[in-house]
Amino acid sequence: MLKKFFLNLLSSFVGAWIAMVLFCVVAFFVVIGIIARIGGDDESYSTKVSSKSVVVLDLSGTIVETPEPGQFDFMSLAIGDSKDTPTALNILVNGIREAKESNDIDAMYIKCGHPLASPATLNAVRMAVADFKKAGKKVYAYADAMTMGDYFVASQADSLFLNPGGVIDISGLGGTTLFFKDFLDKIGVKMTLVKVGTFKSAAEPYISNSMSAPARAQLDTLYGNMWSYIGKSVADGRKSLDANSMNKAADEFIMFKPSSEVLKQGFVDRLVYERQMDDIVGRMVGKEGKDVKYYTPEVLAENTNWGKEYGNKNKVAVLYATGEIREYSKSGIDCYRLVPQITELADDDDVKALVLRVNSPGGSVFGSEQIGEALDYFKSKGKPFVVSMGDYAASGGYWISCTADKIYADPLTITGSIGIYGLFPSAEGLVKKLGITPQTVSTNPGKNISLFQDPDSRQLEVLQDYINDGYSRFVRRVSKGRKMKEQRVRQIAEGRVYDASQAKSLGLVDELGSLDDAVAYAVSKAGLKADKYGVAVYPKYKPDVWDILRSQGLDQLNQEISRIAGENPESMLVYEAARILRRSPWQALMTPVAVRFN
C-alpha cells in the first residue's frame, strides 16, 4: 500500500510538471509572435481595409472608459473563456470615427447583445453612431432579443431587424436599494452617522429601514429627467415613434408582446433570422453576403493616432480619473498615483492643455483634496484645464472637477452630491450577545472612538465639527471654481445629485457634450492650430502578455490549457488562489444611485 501511495504521489508530481511544461511551450510560441506589440509606446499598427467594407458594432459585454490592465486569470483560460475582456469606450468611439472618415467603410452593422454599461456610456456610443450617419453611410441593426440598452443605441439605425421569435425589453429606468438596519440590529451592530446635506443619503441603508423622503424625491427627479431624454433620443432616431412611445411601451409590457406586434407599433422595421443578415448587409454595400468584409471599431482604431501622440510637441493630455477615489489602491483612483501624473503633465512643456475625463462617484475626502491641489498646480502653469464627465462625477468626483476652466457633461451624467458624511460602526451589542466583555485601559479615557462602544455626545460633537469643516472646504472650492457665492452653493449642494441638464441650469456644468467636444475646446483655449496638435491619453496603457492573449482570442492555447486543466486540475489551484488574494476592498461616498434599465 505504501509503495502504491508513493507511486501515485510521484505520478501526480510528474503529471503536474509535464502540464506546466506543455503550457510554457504553447505559450512561448504564441507570445513570441506578439511580443513586438509590447515593445514601444508610440508604434501604430495599421490594418489594410478592403473597399466596400462594413464596420460591425458588437453590443455585448462590459464597456469601460479606457483600456485597463488585465489580471492573470488562469482558470478563465483553462475553461477556454477569453471573451470577458471589457470594451473601452474611447477606442470604440475612435474606431467609429475612423470608420466614418474611411472611404473604404460604406456602412455599419450593429449586433445587439445586452451591453453592460451605464446610460451615459451608451449615450456616447449612440452619439458616435449618429455622427457616423452624417457621412451619408447606412446603419443596420439586428437582435435576437433586445434590451433597453441595445435599443437606445440601435434606435439610430436606418433599419432595425428583429428575430421573429425575439422580444424587446422596454421597461423604464430605475434602481433598487437594500436596507440593512434590522439585520444589523439582530446581530448587535449599530451605525452612527454624522453628515452634512439633507440629500446625502449614501448611509441611509445602514441606519434606516426605508428611503427618506428627500432621497426618494431626488431619485424620482433624476430618473424622470434621464428617462425623458432617452425617450426623446429614441424618437429622434426612430421616426415611427414619438417621445411618449417609450412610456407607452413600458406601461403595456411590450416585452411580452409577440414580435409581430412590436413590428406593427413601429419599434422595428423587419422580422428576419440572423442567417439572412449577411445577404441584407451585402445588398446594402453592393456585394454578395459571403464577400462582405467586416471590421470592428477596435481594429479600425489602430489606424488612427488619436491618444497615442506622446512625442508631439503640442499635446493635449487626456487624463482618465475612473473609479472610486482612494489611497494606496491598485484599483479606482489612487491619489498617490494620480497626483504625480498631474504634476508631471504640468511640468511638461509639450503639454499645452489638460482634459480630465472623470467617471467617479467620489470616495476619500483626503484623496480628493490631494488631487484637487495637484490640478490647481496644473492651472498655475497657465495651461487650460477642461473636464469631461462620464457616467458619474459626483461628491469627490465633483470636488476634483469644479475648478476647471470649462466642464462638459454627457446629458445622462450624474453629478453634484456636494456633501460629506462619516459612518462609524459599534459592535457593543454584538460582543455582549457573544458573552464578551471588553475592558480598556487608556491614558486618555473617552478620547478614542472604539469599535466596542457607542460614541458619546462629546465625541459626536467633535465628529460633527470635523464633517462641517470638510463640507465648508468643499463649498469654498466649488464657490471659487464655479465663480458662485458660497450661499448659493449651499442652497444647491446639500448632498443632492443632479442629471447633467439640471446641473447645467444650476451652473455646476457649462456644456452638454462629449469628450471630443472637451478636447476641441481645450485646443481652442490653448491657441493650437487644428492640424498642429496631438492627443495623448494618460495613464499610458501598455498591454501585458495576458491582455494580448485574451484580446487575440487564442483558441489553440485555450484548447491546450483546457486539456491540461482537465487532466491535472490540482495544478491550477495555486493560480486561482493568487487571483483571489489580489482582490481589493471597496468603499463609496456618493449617494447610491444604481441607474440601470429595468
Side-chain angles (χ1 to χ4, degrees):
M1 285 293 290
L2 189 61
K3 179 180 179 181
K4 185 176 181 181
F5 168 77
F6 280 113
L7 286 174
N8 288 337
L9 181 63
L10 181 60
S11 65
S12 295
F13 277 116
V14 172
W17 278 106
I18 291 174
M20 294 307 300
V21 170
L22 286 173
F23 165 72
C24 291
V25 170
V26 175
F28 173 79
F29 284 109
V30 174
V31 172
I32 202 67
I34 55 177
I35 198 69
R37 295 196 60 174
I38 308 177
D41 290 328
D42 303 321
E43 294 183 48
S44 296
Y45 298 91
S46 299
T47 298
K48 176 63 177 176
V49 179
S50 302
S51 63
K52 295 186 177 181
S53 295
V54 175
V55 57
V56 57
L57 175 58
D58 185 358
L59 293 178
S60 63
T62 304
I63 304 176
V64 296
E65 276 286 339
T66 190
E68 302 171 349
Q71 291 186 342
F72 189 82
D73 188 345
F74 200 92
M75 295 304 289
S76 293
L77 267 180
I79 62 175
D81 182 8
S82 61
K83 298 180 180 179
D84 293 332
T85 305
T87 301
L89 177 62
N90 60 356
I91 292 179
L92 206 59
V93 170
N94 288 330
I96 294 173
R97 183 194 302 115
E98 178 67 16
K100 171 192 173 183
E101 296 172 356
S102 172
N103 294 327
D104 295 316
I105 299 293
D106 285 3
M108 177 186 291
Y109 176 33
I110 301 175
K111 297 180 70 173
C112 299
H114 193 181
L116 301 177
S118 295
T121 292
L122 293 174
N123 191 46
V125 179
R126 183 192 68 85
M127 290 192 294
V129 174
D131 185 59
F132 176 88
K133 290 176 62 178
K134 291 179 181 178
K137 302 181 180 184
K138 292 287 186 180
V139 177
Y140 283 3
Y142 170 83
D144 286 330
M146 198 174 297
T147 65
M148 186 60 238
D150 286 311
Y151 197 75
F152 185 38
V153 177
S155 63
Q156 294 300 310
D158 296 287
S159 294
L160 215 166
F161 302 84
L162 180 67
N163 191 299
V167 296
I168 295 181
D169 180 10
I170 296 175
S171 50
L173 193 68
T176 300
T177 303
L178 300 179
F179 288 79
F180 301 97
K181 184 178 183 302
D182 280 352
F183 168 73
L184 295 173
D185 288 346
K186 287 179 181 178
I187 65 174
V189 174
K190 179 182 178 181
M191 294 289 189
T192 300
L193 173 67
V194 289
K195 69 168 186 173
V196 178
T198 303
F199 296 91
K200 197 69 175 177
S201 54
E204 282 188 357
Y206 307 102
I207 63 170
S208 176
N209 288 321
S210 61
M211 192 177 292
S212 68
R216 183 172 292 278
Q218 72 171 339
L219 291 181
D220 279 342
T221 302
L222 181 74
Y223 291 148
N225 290 348
M226 294 174 71
W227 183 240
S228 177
Y229 175 85
I230 291 167
K232 292 176 182 176
S233 299
V234 170
D236 287 342
R238 298 288 303 169
K239 303 306 180 184
S240 57
L241 304 177
D242 59 38
N244 193 48
S245 295
M246 303 296 286
N247 275 328
K248 184 179 178 182
D251 293 340
E252 293 181 353
F253 298 97
I254 195 171
M255 179 179 178
F256 301 102
K257 301 286 186 181
S259 57
S260 58
E261 181 64 23
V262 173
L263 175 65
K264 181 180 179 181
Q265 292 189 25
F267 284 92
V268 298
D269 299 294
R270 285 180 62 186
L271 302 178
V272 302
Y273 291 98
E274 186 174 12
R275 62 176 177 78
Q276 300 173 266
M277 287 304 301
D278 280 343
D279 289 334
I280 293 172
V281 173
R283 287 193 292 271
M284 181 170 54
V285 295
K287 282 188 174 183
E288 293 290 328
K290 61 183 176 62
D291 296 328
V292 176
K293 296 292 185 181
Y294 294 97
Y295 298 89
T296 66
E298 290 89 342
V299 169
L300 295 175
E302 293 183 347
N303 291 352
T304 174
N305 285 327
W306 193 98
K308 309 170 191 173
E309 299 191 57
Y310 300 103
N312 197 301
K313 297 297 182 181
N314 293 298
K315 289 196 296 283
V316 174
V318 175
L319 177 62
Y320 279 82
T322 303
E324 294 171 6
I325 300 172
R326 304 168 177 172
E327 300 101 41
Y328 301 113
S329 174
K330 291 183 179 180
S331 61
I333 305 170
D334 181 355
C335 66
Y336 288 111
R337 285 188 287 117
L338 192 63
V339 166
Q341 179 76 86
I342 296 170
T343 303
E344 182 181 334
L345 295 175
D347 294 336
D348 187 344
D349 292 336
D350 293 343
V351 173
K352 307 303 183 184
L354 172 66
V355 176
L356 184 68
R357 174 67 174 184
V358 181
N359 196 338
S360 173
S364 162
V365 174
F366 176 82
S368 300
E369 283 190 301
Q370 306 315 302
I371 296 168
E373 191 280 331
L375 291 168
D376 292 343
Y377 174 71
F378 183 94
K379 287 187 67 176
S380 73
K381 297 290 186 175
K383 303 178 183 182
F385 164 43
V386 184
V387 161
S388 169
M389 294 179 169
D391 300 320
Y392 303 93
S395 198
Y398 193 76
W399 187 306
I400 66 177
S401 301
C402 63
T403 59
D405 297 312
K406 199 160 193 174
I407 298 176
Y408 286 83
D410 184 276
L412 294 177
T413 293
I414 297 173
T415 188
S417 193
I418 302 169
I420 296 177
Y421 76 88
L423 192 64
F424 303 91
S426 167
E428 182 177 5
L430 176 60
V431 295
K432 286 182 179 178
K433 288 184 178 183
L434 296 175
I436 300 172
T437 305
Q439 296 288 295
T440 302
V441 177
S442 174
T443 58
N444 301 92
K447 300 304 179 183
N448 295 320
I449 298 174
S450 172
L451 177 64
F452 305 111
Q453 186 176 8
D454 295 345
D456 60 30
S457 59
R458 174 58 183 154
Q459 289 171 332
L460 287 175
E461 182 180 344
V462 172
L463 291 172
Q464 189 64 61
D465 288 344
Y466 180 78
I467 295 296
N468 290 344
D469 178 68
Y471 181 65
S472 294
R473 296 200 307 274
F474 199 166
V475 168
R476 287 195 296 270
R477 182 169 181 82
V478 175
S479 174
K480 180 181 178 181
R482 303 309 297 158
K483 298 178 175 57
M484 192 182 297
K485 291 183 178 179
E486 286 191 28
Q487 182 181 2
R488 175 56 179 162
V489 175
R490 291 181 181 273
Q491 288 176 344
I492 63 178
E494 290 289 333
R496 182 162 188 166
V497 293
Y498 298 99
D499 65 272
S501 295
Q502 281 182 299
K504 184 175 182 293
S505 68
L506 295 171
L508 297 177
V509 165
D510 295 302
E511 299 288 345
L512 302 183
S514 65
L515 175 59
D516 285 344
D517 294 325
V519 170
Y521 177 79
V523 169
S524 173
K525 182 79 172 176
L528 300 175
K529 295 181 179 180
D531 58 345
K532 299 293 184 181
Y533 76 93
V535 175
V537 168
Y538 299 88
K540 290 183 181 180
Y541 169 69
K542 190 173 182 179
D544 57 21
V545 173
W546 169 237
D547 293 318
I548 299 176
L549 287 176
R550 291 192 306 172
S551 67
Q552 298 300 314
L554 302 172
D555 294 335
Q556 182 181 357
L557 180 60
N558 282 334
Q559 291 169 10
E560 184 61 23
I561 296 175
S562 183
R563 183 187 66 77
I564 295 172
E567 296 176 1
N568 302 276
E570 67 277 5
S571 65
M572 307 301 169
L573 295 179
V574 65
Y575 295 99
E576 181 65 5
R579 186 185 70 82
I580 293 172
L581 290 173
R582 283 197 299 267
R583 289 176 179 168
S584 302
W586 192 259
Q587 182 183 5
L589 289 178
M590 192 190 91
T591 297
V593 183
V595 182
R596 70 174 190 273
F597 294 113
N598 288 334

